[in-house]
Amino acid sequence: MSLSRPVKFLLLFLLAFVGVVLYLHFGKDEDWSSSMLLGLIAAPFLVAMWKFRDWYMKRAQRAGRNWRAARDERKHARGA
């Protein structure tokens, strides 16, 4: 089963929000209201950074494949 893009973003947002709130409340000893407020601020930023990392890694993989293919073509052109 595949989830749609908005559902994936919503799940990532909720995961980031819950993680930040729990970390701040139990790890940094903040009260619930400030933890939730900071979670609402941090969650969109974390989701955006997560998606940017995925996009950047895919771009780097594609560039590496293209570079290796070009290198192999140059090797075959020199050897032939």
Side-chain angles (χ1 to χ4, degrees):
M1 183 173 112
S2 178
L3 299 174
S4 66
R5 183 178 283 187
V7 173
K8 285 181 188 178
F9 278 127
L10 179 64
L11 289 176
L12 286 175
F13 179 82
L14 289 175
L15 177 69
F17 175 74
V18 169
V20 168
V21 169
L22 291 176
Y23 173 74
L24 288 174
H25 181 69
F26 292 115
K28 297 293 183 182
D29 208 22
E30 295 279 335
D31 59 343
W32 283 109
S33 60
S34 63
S35 297
M36 287 187 191
L37 180 62
L38 289 171
L40 281 175
I41 294 169
F45 178 73
L46 290 173
V47 171
M49 292 302 296
W50 196 340
K51 292 314 251 176
F52 175 76
R53 179 187 167 272
D54 288 346
W55 171 80
Y56 195 74
M57 292 301 288
K58 286 178 186 174
R59 184 176 170 214
Q61 288 173 349
R62 194 170 48 247
R65 274 195 307 273
N66 292 341
W67 181 81
R68 285 188 295 276
R71 181 188 63 187
D72 291 342
E73 287 176 11
R74 285 191 304 267
K75 277 185 182 179
H76 291 301
R78 263 187 277 156

